[in-house]
Amino acid sequence: MSIDLKKLTITEAHTRLAQKDWSALELTDAYLSVIEERDPAIHSYLEVFDDARENARRADALIREKGKDIHPLTGIPFSIKDNILIKGHVASCGSKILEKYRAAYDATAVVRLRDEGAVFLGRGNMDEFAMGSSTERSAFGTTKNPHDISRAPGGSSGGPAAAVAMGGALAALGSDTGGSVRQPASFCGIVGLKPTYGSVSRFGLVAMASSLDQIGPFAKTAADARIIFEAISGHDPMDSTSLPNRSGQKAERSEKLTIGIPSFMDEVKVDDDVLKNFEESIAILKKMGHTITTVVLPNVQYSLPVYYIIMPAEASTNLARFDGVRYGLHKEGENLFEDYTKTRGAGFGAEVRRRILLGTYVLSAGYYDAYYTQATMLRRQITADFENVFTDVDAILTPTSPTPAFALGERTDDPLRMYSSDVFTVPANIGGLPALSIPSGFVKRGTASLPVGLQFTGAHLDDSLLLDIGEAFERETEYSFIV
Ligand code: GLN
């Protein structure tokens, strides 16, 4: 039986599974054959699990038991970013230092998907320890963009995003510290959500910068992203930053919203055709009845510098645990200190070492106040600016990234240019706010048609409102996301 995966959504697959038109095993097999056919060129997976079909059989048992009452994720095949723990499987974080590390337990998000009968197809490629915007920093080879294999899929969750875009998974989990779900979603033409900080448990997500990290879903539609978000969110006692379960949603808002465009967009260099696409999206939103206005976030232009102090500071302390004793790689030295230096020298790649150096520097006794304290003060200011603006508008709109997918190799020697692709995504992490990227059309580069994305940032806990706007926008536009 052949299943057409091109336009398949979770919603549609759920109907077919519940009606027993397809079995979960047949659906999983369909994805496994796409992976076999296409992934040698794309390299979105670091490993395809040998127990994927066993997962599918378990889903089929659930379907037999529950019939039409199965959860919408029962039997749905996922790619899981390689920094999210799945018990018994390797979780390498795209790093040599964890190449052979096997997870001793499941991440909470994984438990919640597993409980609903989701199928885990394999580990999605990523920039080493989620540091990067192109997946070129993976220690195990670059992932290619399925829309044009000479280009980057974005990063750091480029593997899971490319898997969904090429039809090698129906959905995926990534992690977003400064844009790593939204930017690859936009480069690959799919939907990516960075939830409100604390709404999805970080238990079992290998920490990069703990105050910024969130697990987020990739899917083809906002409706599908919502199904995943609802399944994985909710309080978790294992994560001390996990928010309490929501006591009722915020009051229903009218369907006609006020959407703000930050004035700082004028200071950012955005490609002409990306800007044109953005203006077309604004026109669509106006036609839908929304009011568009300009908002001033007086400190948001400092978001990237603030991010590149706080993130390396937290990463340098988080990564101290990889010492050659407790996890993964071990290189023997003459003494304990040499064990550390040899293991870390051999195990960490250049970008990770750069950030450990940066982070250690900004936390060092002489510089702590000048850098780290200043950055945390500005962070509070940026967060307060957002709170202010959200008393006037329901959501903030920007392109997800100033450019479409860039060419592989184009930015690897120029870290600042690489960092600049996150200029629009980083502010939401600084403020702990939800932000959604959805496809908004295509731009041409040579003969290639490359997707671009639109980002809606919302007030604290307004994840669901963003998904509402996303769904309505999709109804107006119907972009074809799949290659
Ligand atoms: N690209 C950003 C960085 O390199 C964000 C990464 C992320 O969100 N994990 O840090």
Side-chain angles (χ1 to χ4, degrees):
M1 184 191 58
S2 100
I3 300 177
D4 182 9
L5 302 180
K6 261 193 180 302
K7 298 245 163 181
L8 188 64
T9 59
I10 294 178
T11 320
E12 164 78 8
H14 167 64
T15 311
R16 301 300 210 106
L17 291 168
Q19 289 172 358
K20 301 204 169 67
D21 297 340
W22 309 332
S23 70
L25 190 58
E26 284 166 333
L27 185 62
T28 292
D29 279 340
Y31 281 96
L32 291 174
S33 34
V34 172
I35 296 169
E36 206 175 298
E37 189 189 316
R38 297 201 64 187
D39 215 40
I42 303 291
H43 192 42
S44 70
Y45 282 97
L46 290 174
E47 177 190 356
V48 177
F49 295 145
D50 50 15
D51 62 356
R53 302 183 83 233
E54 208 174 297
N55 280 198
R57 278 192 209 99
R58 214 169 326 115
D60 279 326
L62 267 177
I63 297 170
R64 274 195 300 277
E65 180 194 323
K66 294 193 179 172
K68 287 204 179 345
D69 294 333
I70 52 165
H71 187 273
L73 292 177
T74 308
I76 302 299
F78 275 75
S79 161
I80 304 289
K81 190 179 183 180
D82 198 28
N83 58 352
I84 299 173
L85 305 189
I86 304 176
K87 188 175 175 179
H89 283 293
V90 168
S92 80
C93 295
S95 180
K96 289 261 182 243
I97 210 162
L98 291 178
E99 187 171 5
K100 302 207 171 87
Y101 168 73
R102 276 184 196 275
Y105 59 92
D106 277 330
T108 298
V110 164
V111 172
R112 290 183 179 174
L113 293 184
R114 195 196 292 289
D115 284 350
E116 304 300 3
V119 173
F120 303 128
L121 293 174
R123 300 189 277 130
N125 198 10
M126 58 183 282
D127 288 296
E128 186 175 2
F129 284 104
M131 299 179 189
S133 307
S134 66
T135 318
E136 292 166 286
R137 295 289 180 194
S138 167
F140 308 110
T142 302
T143 298
K144 318 275 173 35
N145 191 314
H147 291 265
D148 174 352
I149 59 166
S150 70
R151 290 175 184 272
S156 61
S157 321
V164 174
M166 74 171 190
L170 184 43
L173 289 187
S175 68
D176 189 314
T177 305
S180 282
V181 166
R182 291 159 287 157
Q183 184 254 24
S186 113
F187 281 17
C188 291
I190 59 172
V191 172
L193 173 72
K194 198 289 280 183
T196 297
Y197 183 78
S199 57
V200 177
S201 169
R202 289 183 298 109
F203 183 68
L205 166 68
V206 179
M208 178 214 203
S210 318
S211 77
L212 302 160
D213 299 340
Q214 269 296 277
I215 291 177
F218 288 107
K220 288 189 206 149
T221 64
D224 282 4
R226 187 195 306 272
I227 295 171
I228 304 166
F229 171 66
E230 284 178 356
I232 62 176
S233 58
H235 181 69
D236 177 13
M238 299 304 282
D239 171 0
S240 62
T241 58
S242 168
L243 295 171
N245 281 327
R246 295 173 200 195
S247 42
Q249 289 289 327
K250 290 196 176 173
E252 278 290 311
R253 253 165 289 185
S254 97
E255 287 194 358
K256 309 286 176 234
L257 303 171
T258 308
I259 297 174
I261 297 172
S263 56
F264 102 103
M265 257 200 74
D266 297 342
E267 292 155 40
V268 179
K269 193 179 157 349
V270 179
D271 283 1
D272 288 344
D273 46 7
V274 174
L275 203 56
K276 183 162 168 277
N277 173 274
F278 183 66
E279 278 153 11
E280 286 161 9
S281 301
I282 294 176
I284 294 169
L285 289 163
K286 281 186 180 157
K287 208 181 82 205
M288 291 164 68
H290 301 308
T291 305
I292 309 288
T293 159
T294 303
V295 290
V296 180
L297 292 152
N299 299 288
V300 77
Q301 72 270 28
Y302 303 120
S303 296
L304 263 189
V306 164
Y307 175 81
Y308 276 100
I309 290 172
I310 293 178
M311 183 277 303
E314 293 186 16
S316 71
T317 53
N318 273 325
L319 268 54
R321 63 168 65 85
F322 303 110
D323 56 5
V325 179
R326 283 173 289 184
Y327 309 88
L329 188 73
H330 173 77
K331 293 271 178 207
E332 192 71 25
E334 291 292 307
N335 51 45
L336 183 61
F337 188 74
E338 225 182 85
D339 283 7
Y340 294 159
T341 51
K342 283 199 162 166
T343 303
R344 290 165 67 84
F348 288 140
E351 183 65 23
V352 174
R353 275 180 276 153
R354 182 185 351 261
R355 298 200 194 190
I356 292 174
L357 284 174
L358 259 176
T360 311
Y361 180 81
V362 302
L363 292 176
S364 61
Y367 295 103
Y368 187 93
D369 284 339
Y371 292 104
Y372 188 72
T373 308
Q374 283 282 334
T376 49
M377 273 159 44
L378 259 169
R379 180 182 195 172
R380 271 200 293 279
Q381 203 54 55
I382 294 166
T383 310
D385 291 345
F386 272 118
E387 270 167 28
N388 257 331
V389 159
F390 282 121
T391 58
D392 297 328
V393 300
D394 300 292
I396 292 173
L397 184 70
T398 60
T400 307
S401 186
T403 69
F406 45 80
L408 291 168
E410 188 186 300
R411 301 188 181 192
T412 36
D413 295 331
D414 187 349
L416 288 183
R417 250 187 101 210
M418 186 71 93
Y419 299 170
S420 72
S421 66
D422 298 318
V423 61
F424 294 131
T425 49
V426 155
N429 302 75
I430 303 272
L433 304 173
L436 175 73
S437 178
I438 56 171
S440 62
F442 293 86
V443 295
K444 280 265 179 221
R445 289 291 178 278
T447 53
S449 221
L450 302 176
V452 285
L454 193 61
Q455 175 181 246
F456 295 95
T457 302
H460 199 66
L461 291 177
D462 259 350
D463 310 66
S464 168
L465 178 78
L466 299 183
L467 292 162
D468 291 346
I469 307 174
E471 278 190 51
F473 186 81
E474 283 170 354
R475 278 196 293 275
E476 295 293 315
T477 53
E478 268 252 34
Y479 289 113
S480 160
F481 20 73
I482 286 300
V483 281

